[in-house]
Amino acid sequence: MKNTKRLKNAVNKTVIYVLLIIFALFMMGPFLWLLSVSLMPGKNIFAFPPAILPTFIDFKNYIEVWQYMDFLKYIWNTVIITFLGLTLSILFCALTAYPLAIFKFRGRNTIFLLLIATMIIPAAAALVVNYLTINKLGLINSFIGVVLPSIVTVFNVFLLRQAFMGVPLDIRDSGKMDGASEFRIWAQLMMPMIKPAVAVVALFEFMGNWNSFLWPIIVLNTDKYPLASALSFLNGQFSYNFGWIAAGTVISVIPIIIVFLFTQKYYMEGISGAVKG
C-alpha cells in the first residue's frame, strides 16, 4: 500500500515538473528565438518553423554592433539613470508608505484608496503633463528629468505599505521609549525589517529604468540616451539589420538576468509577504 502511494506521488510530481518545464520553455520561446537570431548572422529570420535553438554559433553580430555603437557610453548613461531612479524611488516610496501603514489619522484609508485608483490611468496619458513640468523646471536633457516623473509609483507604495504593516508595532514602541525620532525609527528600525520588500522594489525599478525607452527619447539628446533608447539607432529609415538589433537587445538584457538571479530569493519573500499582508 505504501509502495503504491509512493509510486503515485512520484508519478504526480513527474507530470507536474514536465508540465512546468514545457510551460517555461513556451514562455522562454521569444527570448530563445532572439538569442538564436543574434548568433546566426545571414540566417533568414522569417523562415518557418523559426529556429528556437541556433543551428550554428557565430558572434559576428555582436562584434559588428559593438563596433557600430558606442556601447560603453550608453551603458554608463543607463547605469546613472538606473541608480538615480532606483535610489530615489526606494527612498520616497518608503517615506510615502510608512505613514499610511503606521500612523493613525483621519482619512488615511481614503488617501490610500485614491492612490490605488490612479493605477487605472495609463502612463501614456501623463506624457504631455510630465514633459511640460520637466520643461518648466529646466530639467530637459538631464538624467533627473528622466527619473523624476516615476520616482513614486503606486505599486511600490502599496508593496512597502503592506510590508510595514507586517512589522510588529513593538519595534516602533521600543524606539520611542529610547527617545528616537520618527525618522530614525523609520531608517534604523523599520527599514531593515522590510528588506525583502525593498529588494522587490529595487528589482522592479532596476528593470524599469534599465529598459526605459520612450521617455528618455522625449527628454534627452541622443548623446545621453540609455541603452534601450540607443538601440533605435540600429533601425534606420532605409536599413534594417535584425541580427544587430537582436544582438544589442541580448546585451541589454544580460544585466537584468544577472540581477534577478542574485535577488530572486528576496523577490519571492517580498511578494509572499505583500500577499499575506
Side-chain angles (χ1 to χ4, degrees):
M1 189 69 179
K2 290 183 178 180
N3 292 334
T4 304
K5 189 175 181 179
R6 289 178 180 176
L7 179 61
K8 185 178 179 180
N9 291 335
V11 172
N12 290 336
K13 288 183 179 180
T14 302
V15 172
I16 291 174
Y17 278 112
V18 169
L19 292 176
L20 289 175
I21 291 172
I22 294 174
F23 181 73
L25 291 175
F26 176 77
M27 297 299 294
M28 291 174 60
F31 178 75
L32 293 176
W33 174 75
L34 191 72
L35 181 63
S36 297
V37 171
S38 69
L39 292 173
M40 296 188 296
K43 182 77 172 181
N44 181 13
I45 64 171
F46 300 108
F48 187 83
I52 300 298
L53 297 177
T55 55
F56 64 93
I57 295 178
D58 190 339
F59 293 96
K60 181 181 178 181
N61 284 329
Y62 291 90
I63 296 173
E64 291 179 348
V65 76
W66 189 274
Q67 294 173 345
Y68 178 77
M69 291 178 57
D70 190 354
F71 261 88
L72 293 180
K73 179 180 72 173
Y74 296 122
I75 289 174
W76 178 244
N77 293 342
T78 310
V79 169
I80 296 175
I81 292 173
T82 302
F83 176 78
L84 288 174
L86 187 153
T87 305
L88 294 176
S89 182
I90 292 176
L91 175 63
F92 286 101
C93 286
L95 287 172
T96 305
Y98 181 70
L100 292 174
I102 303 300
F103 296 168
K104 305 294 183 181
F105 57 90
R106 183 177 297 179
R108 183 185 70 166
N109 293 333
T110 303
I111 294 174
F112 182 67
L113 288 175
L114 290 175
L115 285 175
I116 295 296
T118 61
M119 294 182 71
I120 66 174
I121 302 175
L127 283 178
V128 175
V129 176
N130 289 338
Y131 179 81
L132 294 175
T133 304
I134 295 300
N135 189 32
K136 286 292 184 180
L137 294 174
L139 296 176
I140 294 295
N141 196 33
S142 68
F143 294 135
I144 291 294
V146 175
V147 302
L148 186 60
S150 58
I151 283 179
V152 179
T153 61
V154 178
F155 178 79
N156 290 345
V157 172
F158 167 78
L159 190 66
L160 294 175
R161 175 182 178 269
Q162 298 302 106
F164 278 127
M165 292 178 68
V167 178
L169 293 178
D170 294 342
I171 294 178
R172 179 171 177 263
D173 294 338
S174 64
K176 284 289 186 181
M177 293 177 63
D178 292 336
S181 64
E182 198 65 54
F183 182 80
R184 187 177 180 183
I185 293 172
W186 169 81
Q188 296 185 358
L189 295 180
M190 303 298 284
M191 287 297 288
M193 297 297 295
I194 61 166
K195 284 182 180 179
V198 172
V200 173
V201 172
L203 179 61
F204 284 157
E205 287 301 311
F206 179 87
M207 291 190 297
N209 287 283
W210 190 273
N211 290 326
S212 184
F213 173 74
L214 180 59
W215 181 243
I217 291 178
I218 296 174
V219 176
L220 299 175
N221 293 334
T222 55
D223 61 321
K224 289 189 175 181
Y225 276 4
L227 187 55
S229 301
L231 290 177
S232 62
F233 297 148
L234 301 177
N235 185 14
Q237 185 176 1
F238 301 105
S239 62
Y240 186 79
N241 190 330
F242 193 82
W244 284 15
I245 297 175
T249 304
V250 171
I251 292 174
S252 68
V253 168
I254 289 175
I256 297 177
I257 296 175
I258 295 174
V259 170
F260 180 78
L261 290 176
F262 281 101
T263 59
Q264 59 178 332
K265 175 184 176 181
Y266 297 104
Y267 173 80
M268 298 304 299
E269 290 180 1
I271 291 295
S272 63
V275 173
K276 291 178 181 177

